Amino acid sequence: MGKRVLITGLGTFWGSRIAQRLEADPDVDVIVGLDAVEPTIALERVEYVKADPSYSILSRIVKATQVDTILHTFLVVDSTHMSGRKLHEINVIGTMNLLAAAGAPESSVRQVVVKSSSLIYGSSFQDPVWFREETPRVRSPRNRVERSLLEVEGYLRDFAEDNPHVAVSLLRFSNVLGTDIVTSISKALELPLTPSILGYDPLMQFLEEDDVARAIEFVMANQVPGIYNVAGDGRLPWSEVASMCGKRLAPLPPLFTHWLTNPLGRLGVVDMPPELLDLLRYGRGIDNRRLKRAGFNYRYTSAGAVESFARAQRLRRSVGENSNPSYRYERDVENFFRHSPAVVRDPAQ
Amino acid sequence: MLPMTAEEHVKEATRTGTLVHLPGLSQEAGPDRDPRLSDVDEWGRSERMRALARRLYDPLYRRWFRVEWEGLEKIPTDGGALLVANHAAALPSDAPVIMHGIEEELGRAVYGLADHLFKSIPVVGTMWSRTGGVAAHPENAYRLLREQKQLVLVFPEGAKGPGKTYAERYRLRRFGRGGFVEIAMRAGVPVVPIAVVGAEESMPILFKLPSVAKSLGLPYFPITANQLVFGPILGNVMYFPAKFKLKVLDPVHFDVPPDQERYSKSRVMDEAEDIRVSLQDTLYEMLKARQSVWFG
């Protein structure tokens, strides 16, 4: 019998990306995708369930579908376009409901994989060059994304302790760059001049988007419980990242930087949340060796991820943004393909 | 027939007028090709920047401070070692002297551990990091010493060393909480003490302004003799040409297994105190032999 998987945040980049990859996996029988918004890419056999962002109906879904694996990809790690309340609702309350459903007495869940972020370590001048999974963060969090992620990890720790029969994997992903994903860093690198902070040239670490999906698949397939940092090898200065993308730096004043970036952000010129301003000063490095020891092979280094982004950027410059055909979710059409007796599901028979 | 080279293909094609497929000249850039543009390593150090800094610093080292070493052969030529020294001068002049000397004489890179504060200052923090400075975090020291087998320089007195006034010169402060001994034990490397004479007189502090330091978030705010002689701007970067003499002491090996969770605190404190006392004694011996601050 194959796996029965539940994915949160199906409408987000990661949720849909990972769902798509799982569809190709013959060991996965059922994929249920949960989100408040509709998926933005064409999916073959994923069952989409519309849910409110804090997943109050989750325990019913878990019971009804008898899923054995939950992939929690829907943690917000970019605070720019979201109110503090909504972020709290999604990250903290959503995870709480998810774990409550997974830990119910007759629950069928045996594995939980959570996609967290290296934001959990913060970014300050007192940081070590490499954070290991056990290294405590140096300064208490000053922004709400980091605070909410810390709360989420706290819930998860309790859950893992109370449910020893469930394999709980917590993955802390570093900043992602790649061919398709849009983050505040990729947006900064799309600007004519790359914002930096005068006098600082922090060492950055990146992860290619393919390695994100591969890492989640890896921990899912091999059932490796525990906390893992996921990031490419090596670190490189922000100035070098900009020149690899063929950009020059536009230094922002080191004092009162947010006085400048906040109004510019509101005008839509730049997109610089407080956690990115910290990163552009001090950078962050996380030690990726524990996941390697568990048997995972990275395809890209940090510099390789930047290179992959730069190549995609050059392609976009030549052929325009819409090189991928757009997709719009139509409930009736998707239901027809999944459930109508008229559709031949296995042509081999 | 021998396989043709690309040039021969072209010649052949021009002669016969036919279209031939040229063998691929460039390989598709794979993910394993190294796309790096600079040589900045994971610690922020760039050998190119370090070489440039050495070239600029060399006249200061040879002509201004006229540095003399004794016992340089005691510094291991391979494997990790933790170098510890006494720390002095308002803007410490001893760290660059030690790093420059060892890199020039032994051809080994030295990573200098310094207060985190450095990293928070624009420009200075970046330059310090590119030229071999690393924030003094135990995880950094362990990784450099144990895994990468490098030479690491640390000043156990911390900011209390350079924050001394001239009246307290060459009197060693407390060696922190002995953290440097614990790191050397965990990394399984020896501690090599280095006694430095001359740094104290290169930028002596006359008195300090604690309230200014507090409001700026600095460990101390000094008024130096250099500021009085060279003026309020140049005085912050101009050193007096004190004669530098350095003496390397015998490496201290600890007979303990590395990678332990914890080491006996009393043993750690005893070892730290022994190293402090031997450094202090050596300094006094060197000062007894010194005829002049400027000529040694």
Side-chain angles (χ1 to χ4, degrees), chain A residues 69-127:
Chain A
T69 305
I70 295 181
L71 299 185
H72 188 27
T73 70
F74 194 32
L75 287 177
V76 180
V77 293
D78 184 336
S79 67
T80 336
H81 300 294
M82 194 167 283
S83 70
R85 181 172 294 262
K86 195 170 169 209
L87 192 125
H88 175 81
E89 205 67 22
I90 291 176
N91 282 3
V92 181
I93 308 299
T95 307
M96 203 180 75
N97 283 332
L98 184 94
L99 295 178
E106 67 281 16
S107 155
S108 51
V109 176
R110 291 294 170 269
Q111 187 178 20
V112 175
V113 179
V114 179
K115 178 180 167 298
S116 180
S117 158
S118 61
L119 278 172
I120 203 94
Y121 299 109
S123 178
S124 89
F125 62 93
Q126 291 156 309
D127 288 350

Side-chain angles (χ1 to χ4, degrees), chain B residues 263-282:
Chain B
Y263 291 92
S264 147
K265 201 71 199 163
S266 61
R267 171 85 199 276
V268 167
M269 293 311 283
D270 286 351
E271 295 283 2
E273 189 53 24
D274 285 352
I275 292 170
R276 200 187 80 93
V277 168
S278 66
L279 257 182
Q280 184 70 79
D281 291 347
T282 311

Side-chain angles (χ1 to χ4, degrees), chain A residues 129-130 199-200 240 307 311, chain B residues 33 36-38 42 120 140:
Chain A
V129 172
W130 300 106
Y200 294 94
E240 191 179 339
E307 167 98 332
R311 286 162 65 87
Chain B
R33 192 180 66 88
R36 290 294 305 271
L37 299 175
S38 80
E42 64 193 88
S120 68
N140 291 347

Side-chain angles (χ1 to χ4, degrees), chain A residues 20 28 55 57 63 68 132 135 161 173 175 202 212 242 279 287 301 303-304 324 326 330 338:
Chain A
Q20 211 171 25
V28 177
Y55 305 135
I57 61 160
K63 212 179 285 171
D68 49 40
R132 287 180 301 123
T135 319
E161 217 166 274
F173 290 96
N175 295 90
V212 177
L279 198 67
D287 188 338
T301 61
N324 294 325
S326 64
E330 304 269 7
R338 282 173 181 71

Side-chain angles (χ1 to χ4, degrees), chain A residues 21 88 102-103 135 171 173 249 280 322 327 334 340:
Chain A
R21 291 180 70 124
H88 175 81
T135 319
L171 303 180
F173 290 96
L249 295 177
L280 287 184
N322 299 319
Y327 164 82
E334 296 293 342
S340 167

Side-chain angles (χ1 to χ4, degrees), chain B residues 209-225:
Chain B
L209 303 174
S211 53
V212 180
K214 207 173 171 191
S215 64
L216 289 175
L218 297 171
Y220 55 89
F221 189 88
I223 298 300
T224 64

Side-chain angles (χ1 to χ4, degrees), chain B residues 187-230:
Chain B
V189 298
V191 166
V192 184
I194 302 173
V196 186
V197 165
E200 294 277 11
E201 289 87 0
S202 66
M203 196 181 273
I205 298 179
L206 300 179
F207 54 92
K208 294 181 280 186
L209 303 174
S211 53
V212 180
K214 207 173 171 191
S215 64
L216 289 175
L218 297 171
Y220 55 89
F221 189 88
I223 298 300
T224 64
N226 305 55
Q227 286 164 342
L228 300 184
V229 175
F230 300 119

Side-chain angles (χ1 to χ4, degrees), chain A residues 11-297:
Chain A
T12 64
F13 180 86
W14 290 120
S16 51
R17 183 58 79 93
I18 289 152
Q20 211 171 25
R21 291 180 70 124
L22 288 182
E23 284 188 330
D25 185 348
D27 286 343
V28 177
D29 280 353
V30 174
I31 310 165
V32 181
L34 217 61
D35 207 331
V37 296
E38 288 159 351
T40 52
I41 60 169
L43 294 166
E44 293 279 325
R45 57 189 178 105
V46 173
E47 297 281 352
Y48 163 60
V49 183
K50 200 176 171 80
D52 63 315
S54 56
Y55 305 135
S56 43
I57 61 160
L58 203 97
S59 59
R60 278 177 63 196
I61 295 174
V62 170
K63 212 179 285 171
T65 56
Q66 290 286 303
V67 290
D68 49 40
T69 305
I70 295 181
L71 299 185
H72 188 27
T73 70
F74 194 32
L75 287 177
V76 180
V77 293
D78 184 336
S79 67
T80 336
H81 300 294
M82 194 167 283
S83 70
R85 181 172 294 262
K86 195 170 169 209
L87 192 125
H88 175 81
E89 205 67 22
I90 291 176
N91 282 3
V92 181
I93 308 299
T95 307
M96 203 180 75
N97 283 332
L98 184 94
L99 295 178
E106 67 281 16
S107 155
S108 51
V109 176
R110 291 294 170 269
Q111 187 178 20
V112 175
V113 179
V114 179
K115 178 180 167 298
S116 180
S117 158
S118 61
L119 278 172
I120 203 94
Y121 299 109
S123 178
S124 89
F125 62 93
Q126 291 156 309
D127 288 350
V129 172
W130 300 106
F131 277 106
R132 287 180 301 123
E133 285 82 352
E134 307 80 34
T135 319
R137 64 177 289 149
V138 178
R139 305 193 123 192
S140 50
R142 287 183 302 164
N143 60 63
R144 52 196 194 214
V145 177
E146 294 179 12
R147 266 200 299 274
S148 76
L149 288 178
L150 277 169
E151 268 188 82
V152 166
E153 291 209 355
Y155 281 135
L156 206 67
R157 237 186 328 271
D158 293 349
F159 175 82
E161 217 166 274
D162 298 346
N163 299 276
H165 61 287
V166 180
V168 180
S169 312
L170 174 68
L171 303 180
R172 293 172 177 162
F173 290 96
S174 145
N175 295 90
V176 183
L177 276 181
T179 49
D180 297 317
I181 191 171
V182 178
T183 65
S184 39
I185 288 188
S186 80
K187 280 188 235 169
L189 290 168
E190 295 284 3
L191 294 170
L193 292 170
T194 304
S196 68
I197 297 175
L198 187 71
Y200 294 94
D201 194 7
L203 298 177
M204 314 288 283
Q205 190 181 22
F206 294 104
L207 179 65
E208 220 276 345
E209 58 188 45
D210 259 0
D211 279 340
V212 177
R214 288 180 59 243
I216 291 177
E217 280 180 343
F218 173 82
V219 293
M220 205 185 106
N222 297 291
Q223 299 247 354
V224 279
I227 303 176
Y228 297 91
N229 288 337
V230 193
D233 282 343
R235 296 176 70 176
L236 66 169
W238 180 239
S239 60
E240 191 179 339
V241 174
S243 45
M244 283 173 75
C245 298
K247 295 288 161 73
R248 279 163 187 268
L249 295 177
L252 302 167
L255 294 171
F256 308 111
T257 319
H258 58 281
W259 288 9
L260 192 69
T261 55
N262 283 358
L264 284 177
R266 220 156 282 153
L267 291 171
V269 182
V270 295
D271 176 17
M272 303 189 82
E275 57 273 12
L276 180 60
L277 287 181
D278 282 345
L279 198 67
L280 287 184
R281 248 168 238 266
Y282 307 118
R284 185 191 306 117
I286 59 174
D287 188 338
N288 62 11
R289 293 181 294 185
R290 186 188 275 180
L291 191 61
K292 280 188 187 164
R293 280 197 295 271
F296 182 70
N297 291 314

